[in-house]
Amino acid sequence: VFIGGGGELATAREVLRHKSVEKCVMVDLDEKVVDVSLAYLPEWGGQTVKNDPRFELIIGDAYAYLMNCKDTFDIVIMDISDPIEAGPGIMLYTKELYQHVVTRMSPNGVFVTQAGIADSVPAPHADAGDRDTACFG
């Protein structure tokens, strides 16, 4: 399982509840979010997640990681910031990334992404479903 973002560790907590998960790689840009979550939000995942031998935390750019990795994943979860122009996660909402993610997924893989609150997502992202997800078949 790959998690882009997810610094509060709650998504990883839910993924790691499943004993069938062999490995969970999480790439988050902001180490401070992880540190604050470990210190003040232990019920969201905390040390239980961080100490799970199946969990690998990488502090870095999820876009760059996915574009450069050679691994394949059964599940790709993008637990990222809203698609705000000039925001830190904007490249994680591009057709370029989606087309590449398909090449990093197992044949029956699942892709899930945060999409923001429907009435606050700016155009062209609000109607991106058909355009950007066509590569998933």
Side-chain angles (χ1 to χ4, degrees):
V1 176
F2 174 84
I3 302 170
E8 81 295 327
L9 302 171
T11 301
R13 177 196 66 208
E14 294 305 310
V15 166
L16 293 167
R17 285 183 196 249
H18 301 276
K19 300 299 180 202
S20 61
V21 172
E22 297 171 8
K23 185 174 183 180
C24 177
V25 176
M26 187 179 97
V27 180
D28 194 282
L29 192 60
D30 193 342
E31 186 171 21
K32 288 187 185 221
V33 170
V34 176
D35 291 343
V36 167
S37 298
L38 285 167
Y40 298 103
L41 301 170
E43 68 278 6
W44 287 27
Q47 293 299 326
T48 301
V49 167
K50 194 166 183 193
N51 295 331
D52 190 307
R54 300 170 296 161
F55 182 68
E56 179 181 357
L57 172 62
I58 298 168
I59 301 300
D61 183 339
Y63 178 86
Y65 180 89
L66 284 170
M67 295 303 278
N68 293 302
C69 84
K70 303 296 181 216
D71 296 333
T72 57
F73 300 96
D74 295 325
I75 302 171
V76 174
I77 302 169
M78 303 306 289
D79 182 8
I80 53 179
S81 59
D82 290 343
I84 298 167
E85 293 299 327
I90 197 67
M91 292 303 294
L92 297 168
Y93 290 96
T94 63
K95 186 174 182 178
E96 174 187 42
L97 178 74
Y98 296 160
Q99 287 174 330
H100 185 73
V101 165
V102 169
T103 72
R104 305 287 18 111
M105 293 174 64
S106 61
N108 293 313
V110 174
F111 176 81
V112 180
T113 189
Q114 151 72 9
I117 300 168
D119 63 351
S120 69
V121 176
H125 303 290
D127 60 353
D130 291 338
R131 181 192 72 230
D132 291 343
T133 59
C135 56
F136 293 102

